[in-house]
């Protein structure tokens, strides 16, 4: 069977959730036994999002092979439970970069290099690379941006050409639009959809299926109208209502018959979708038995997309514990300075901005760059360490935990990372040796998958249940091996080490119920079907903390936070 290509475009407005629709359709097709991947075509001129501000673009999603990609690839992995790679994300910057490199090399033999055919050929070659790999029955291509944008035109044109090259019967065009509700008129409006479909049809990619985002149900009349004006059958008008969880979308799309229409039109021989496991997961997300509050401390907290994968990994970990995770967003900038002996101050409620920390059942300090809000991170970590609140530090969060420990436990006054203070007397976090001569910003960090060996008996070892693991990285700094002994002498356990380079990957505190910092990004590998063990354990510890707090308040139990924490994962808590 030739590979099938499903091209997904969006119109009317941005942020309609094209990525989630693609990921949901991908999940439905996989559930039918097909081999599926998704490729995102991004119209911006950056070669990759690696150099973009998180406020601008949200999280940078890193793949195993070290590609810095669009956050939609995170959704693809979480929904498909399949690994993505550099091949799954293409940007205009990358396309032009490659075409110009070829031109400089003389590859075009003196021809004038033009958008058509050179740029469009380059775009198609990226799509066909996945399709011709023989690894997939279906390649879903998500065209970023909104139809009508100047930047998106070469992509639409390339997809129009692709349909003829691989045969129309092997391709399908799906268009996602918005059907707004006009309260004053008391009705849903189809005109924006008609216009959007008209625009995309004029440039040669008329849709076979129209997915309509809407806040209200589409009745038969509306569906008929859209079908009639947009040249599709009524059954090809798919309603996409707001869902309480993104993980519900595959179920809603199945109910609307999206996958059914797709396989019929493409003539895909396949079984019915088995979504039992998925449905169980969604039930656990929607109707959990417990709730915990986790404080997420970072400097981009106004923009939740900057921490997308962390939020999703907490949902996965929560589902495994039958627990809803409420995130208390804490701006590290507002937590102030710790020099005044923060534990006493904040327990006394001196500082209002600490309130979410005092309420929290666990504290997570997020990844990041630069020194803005750094003291607030130290304050939150010190509070978690001294008060035995479950703590999870990720990348910069882990580095801050090492600095805080150095300063307040190991007696290394003024300890810091050379990222923030090059003159620190104790550079406990320092630039990695291979980073010292790096001058360019893009794609030059320690990126992608690296091995890590775990210390037996450690909390990390217990969580993973394995001796060796692989995790994804995105950083330039590391724990300074020259000061490691001094930290270990005072009780810091370096429980995960990269065997090739002897780099510290995980630190923890044995005399704390759960205090773990990781140099890598575990959130990037958490999926619905493979929730990340550290997130499962972290939420479990938060739940245990919450239950101890309640028991202590009602006078039933002792408030014992001295130990190393017994296993929380009782059958009852896991709810399996
Ligand atoms: N800024 C730190 C480094 O480069 C941490 C990076 C991160 O949190 N992703 O090492």
């Amino acid at each position: 069977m030739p590979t099938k290509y499903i091209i997904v475009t969006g119109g009317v407005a941005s942020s309609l959730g094209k990525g989630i629709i693609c990921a949901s359709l991908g999940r439905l097709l996989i559930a039918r036994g097909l081999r599926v991947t998704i490729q995102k075509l991004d119209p911006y001129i950056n070669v990759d999002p690696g150099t973009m501000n998180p406020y601008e673009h949200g999280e940078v999603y890193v793949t195993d092979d070290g590609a810095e990609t669009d956050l939609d690839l995170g959704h693809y992995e979480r929904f498909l439970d399949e690994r993505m790679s550099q091949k799954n994300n293409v940007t205009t910057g990358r396309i032009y970069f490659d075409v110009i490199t070829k031109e400089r090399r003389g590859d075009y033999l003196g021809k004038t290099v033009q958008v058509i055919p050179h740029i469009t050929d380059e775009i198609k070659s990226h799509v066909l690379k996945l399709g011709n790999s023989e690894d997939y029955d279906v390649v879903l291509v998500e065209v970023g941006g909104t139809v009508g944008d100047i930047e998106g035109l070469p992509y639409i044109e390339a997809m129009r050409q692709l349909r003829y090259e691989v045969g129309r019967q092997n391709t399908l065009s799906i268009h996602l639009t918005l059907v707004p509700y006009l309260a004053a008129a008391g009705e849903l409006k189809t005109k924006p959809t008609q216009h959007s479909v008209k625009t995309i049809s004029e440039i040669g990619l008329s849709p076979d299926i129209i997915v309509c985002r809407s806040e209200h149900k589409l009745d038969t009349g509306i569906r008929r109208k859209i079908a009639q004006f947009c040249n599709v059958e009524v059954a090809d008008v798919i309603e996409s209502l707001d869902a309480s969880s993104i993980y519900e979308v595959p179920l809603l799309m199945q109910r609307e018959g999206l996958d059914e229409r797709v396989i019929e039109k493409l003539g895909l021989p396949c079984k019915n979708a088995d979504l039992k496991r998925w449905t169980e997961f969604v039930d656990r997300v929607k109707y959990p038995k417990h709730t915990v509050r986790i404080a997420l401390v970072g400097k981009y907290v106004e923009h939740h997309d900057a921490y997308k994968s962390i939020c999703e990994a907490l949902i996965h970990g929560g589902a495994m514990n039958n627990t809803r995770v409420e995130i208390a967003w804490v701006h590290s900038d507002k937590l102030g300075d710790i020099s005044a002996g923060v534990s006493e101050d904040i327990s006394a409620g001196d500082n209002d901005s600490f309130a979410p920390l005092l309420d929290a059942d666990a504290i997570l300090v997020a990844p990041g760059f630069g020194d803005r809000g750094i003291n607030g991170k130290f304050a939150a970590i010190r509070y978690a360490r001294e008060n035995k609140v479950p703590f999870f530090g990720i990348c910069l969060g882990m580095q801050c935990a090492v600095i805080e420990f150095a300063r307040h436990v190991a007696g290394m006054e003024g300890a810091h990372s050379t990222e923030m203070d090059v003159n620190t007397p104790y550079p406990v976090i320092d630039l990695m040796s291979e980073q010292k001569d790096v001058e360019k910003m893009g794609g030059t960090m320690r990126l992608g998958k690296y091995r890590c060996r775990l210390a037996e008996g450690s909390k990390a070892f217990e969580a993973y249940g394995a001796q060796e693991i692989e995790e994804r990285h995105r950083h330039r700094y590391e724990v300074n091996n020259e000061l490691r002994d001094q930290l270990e002498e005072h009780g810091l356990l370096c429980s995960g080490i990269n065997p090739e380079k002897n780099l510290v990957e995980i630190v923890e505190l044995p005399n704390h119920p759960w205090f773990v910092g990781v140099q890598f990004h575990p959130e990037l590998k958490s999926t619905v079907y493979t929730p990340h063990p550290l997130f499962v354990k972290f939420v479990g510890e938060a739940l245990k903390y919450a239950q101890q707090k309640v028991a202590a308040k009602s006078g039933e139990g002792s408030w014992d936070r001295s130990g190393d924490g017994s296993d929380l994962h009782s059958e009852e808590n896991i709810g399996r």
Side-chain angles (χ1 to χ4, degrees):
M1 187 181 70
T3 309
K4 308 286 182 182
Y5 297 86
I6 303 177
I7 302 144
V8 183
T9 54
V12 182
S14 59
S15 311
L16 289 183
K18 229 182 313 152
I20 300 294
I21 293 292
C22 287
S24 299
L25 178 57
R27 167 45 47 203
L28 291 174
L29 297 177
I30 286 180
R32 285 174 172 273
L34 296 162
R35 298 169 309 153
V36 182
T37 194
I38 313 181
Q39 188 175 43
K40 173 92 192 270
L41 307 182
D42 273 315
Y44 49 75
I45 317 284
N46 304 63
V47 171
D48 62 41
T51 52
M52 286 192 216
N53 183 332
Y55 284 117
E56 189 83 24
H57 191 264
E59 155 189 289
V60 174
Y61 188 78
V62 180
T63 51
D64 274 348
D65 63 345
E68 296 178 281
T69 73
D70 184 76
L71 55 73
D72 272 334
L73 271 80
H75 292 310
Y76 306 163
E77 284 207 4
R78 289 186 280 273
F79 278 58
L80 269 48
D81 211 30
E82 291 276 331
R83 294 291 171 229
M84 299 291 135
S85 74
Q86 179 74 71
K87 292 194 194 112
N88 296 80
N89 195 190
V90 176
T91 68
T92 297
R94 162 61 54 202
I95 298 285
Y96 273 81
F97 191 86
D98 292 349
V99 168
I100 290 169
T101 307
K102 283 184 191 167
E103 186 273 336
R104 293 287 84 185
R105 226 170 31 210
D107 288 8
Y108 297 115
L109 305 172
K111 287 246 180 289
T112 309
V113 181
Q114 295 178 299
V115 173
I116 304 171
H118 301 99
I119 295 296
T120 46
D121 279 355
E122 191 67 27
I123 295 171
K124 279 184 290 177
S125 78
H126 280 272
V127 177
L128 290 167
K129 215 180 281 169
L130 276 180
N132 293 338
S133 67
E134 297 192 356
D135 293 335
Y136 308 106
D137 302 315
V138 178
V139 177
L140 269 146
V141 184
E142 178 187 349
V143 183
T146 310
V147 166
D149 295 349
I150 290 176
E151 295 96 330
L153 280 173
Y155 287 115
I156 309 278
E157 167 59 17
M159 293 303 102
R160 183 193 69 79
Q161 295 173 16
L162 182 87
R163 298 198 81 176
Y164 286 98
E165 269 169 47
V166 301
R168 279 190 74 95
Q169 71 285 4
N170 295 321
T171 67
L172 199 69
S173 161
I174 299 183
H175 190 58
L176 175 66
T177 77
L178 176 70
V179 179
Y181 181 76
L182 213 60
E187 55 185 37
L188 288 166
K189 291 293 179 189
T190 66
K191 201 63 107 190
T193 298
Q194 294 177 40
H195 278 296
S196 177
V197 170
K198 187 168 165 238
T199 306
I200 193 160
S201 302
E202 275 169 3
I203 42 183
L205 205 64
S206 47
D208 302 298
I209 294 176
I210 300 171
V211 179
C212 306
R213 266 304 289 274
S214 177
E215 286 170 2
H216 294 266
K217 287 193 82 57
L218 307 183
D219 63 24
T220 322
I222 293 280
R223 286 175 195 255
R224 277 217 192 100
K225 194 166 169 188
I226 293 173
Q228 195 171 29
F229 280 98
C230 301
N231 205 20
V232 296
E233 288 173 41
V234 178
D236 297 328
V237 179
I238 305 287
E239 158 194 285
S240 170
L241 294 172
D242 295 347
S244 60
S245 157
I246 53 169
Y247 298 106
E248 215 181 339
V249 178
L251 305 178
L252 297 176
M253 287 303 104
Q254 187 190 39
R255 226 170 286 157
E256 275 289 297
L258 176 62
D259 56 326
E260 195 66 48
R261 292 307 282 168
V262 166
I263 59 151
E264 211 176 293
K265 284 171 188 289
L266 287 174
L268 285 164
C270 55
K271 58 178 183 142
N272 284 339
D274 177 4
L275 286 175
K276 188 167 170 280
R277 222 175 132 197
W278 194 274
T279 311
E280 280 167 8
F281 170 80
V282 172
D283 282 347
R284 265 182 282 143
V285 170
K286 284 183 77 179
Y287 312 107
K289 201 166 156 190
H290 316 283
T291 300
V292 294
R293 269 183 89 68
I294 294 185
L296 196 157
V297 183
K299 72 169 182 179
Y300 311 109
V301 292
E302 310 90 328
H303 192 52
H304 298 181
D305 270 2
Y307 305 110
K308 191 84 218 156
S309 292
I310 292 180
C311 299
E312 300 307 320
L314 287 171
I315 293 175
H316 307 157
M320 292 297 284
N321 287 285
N322 207 349
T323 297
R324 168 175 295 120
V325 177
E326 284 175 6
I327 297 179
W329 298 92
V330 180
H331 204 304
S332 48
D333 243 0
K334 307 222 165 85
L335 289 180
D337 211 309
I338 54 167
S339 48
V342 75
S343 325
E344 291 122 56
D345 283 0
I346 60 178
S347 305
D350 281 1
N351 185 343
D352 274 357
S353 53
F354 272 93
L357 286 189
L358 299 178
D359 257 6
D361 302 314
I363 294 172
L364 189 154
V365 176
F369 294 83
D371 66 354
R372 187 162 71 87
I374 201 84
N375 287 337
K377 290 181 182 170
F378 297 145
I381 292 165
R382 184 170 183 182
Y383 170 73
R385 180 176 57 75
E386 293 183 345
N387 295 284
K388 313 257 170 166
V389 181
F391 167 79
F392 197 8
I394 300 180
C395 209
L396 182 61
M398 171 267 207
Q399 297 176 351
C400 288
V402 172
I403 297 165
E404 194 282 322
F405 182 88
R407 289 183 182 182
H408 302 120
V409 181
M412 297 153 98
E413 211 186 312
H416 219 318
S417 162
T418 51
E419 181 180 1
M420 332 294 166
D421 177 6
V422 278
N423 298 317
T424 168
Y426 298 103
V428 285
I429 306 293
D430 198 9
L431 201 57
M432 303 169 73
S433 54
E434 62 261 42
Q435 288 286 331
K436 297 219 156 114
D437 299 320
V438 169
E439 280 172 9
K440 281 195 198 145
M441 288 294 276
T444 53
M445 281 187 249
R446 181 185 186 216
L447 289 166
K449 169 175 96 167
Y450 286 92
R451 287 162 65 207
C452 169
R453 200 161 285 156
L454 303 178
E456 243 169 271
S458 63
K459 291 182 178 94
F461 182 86
E462 183 199 350
Y464 282 97
Q467 195 109 56
E468 197 171 299
I469 54 155
E470 279 180 342
E471 292 285 1
R472 298 182 195 168
H473 295 251
R474 185 171 187 257
H475 60 111
R476 295 187 200 279
Y477 293 80
E478 57 166 326
V479 174
N480 185 345
N481 275 337
E482 282 177 21
L483 296 173
R484 196 163 123 192
D485 283 352
Q486 224 170 314
L487 294 166
E488 284 178 325
E489 272 163 28
H490 286 88
L492 187 77
L493 173 67
C494 298
S495 60
I497 303 289
N498 169 264
E500 282 87 20
K501 295 242 160 99
N502 189 30
L503 300 181
V504 176
E505 305 279 22
I506 311 180
V507 297
E508 48 186 87
L509 294 178
N511 63 356
H512 185 291
W514 210 83
F515 187 103
V516 175
V518 293
Q519 182 61 79
F520 46 81
H521 290 270
E523 71 277 16
L524 302 177
K525 281 182 73 173
S526 190
T527 73
V528 166
Y529 286 168
T530 320
H532 196 285
L534 288 177
F535 279 88
V536 175
K537 202 77 180 119
F538 178 54
V539 177
E541 289 294 326
L543 179 58
K544 187 159 121 193
Y545 183 87
Q547 288 171 340
Q548 284 183 352
K549 215 160 46 175
V550 172
K553 258 195 202 140
S554 63
E556 280 167 25
S558 64
W559 181 229
D560 177 16
R561 301 297 298 162
S562 58
D564 46 13
S566 59
D567 190 14
L568 205 223
H569 292 82
S570 66
E571 283 299 313
E572 194 205 12
N573 281 334
I574 295 174
R576 277 181 297 173

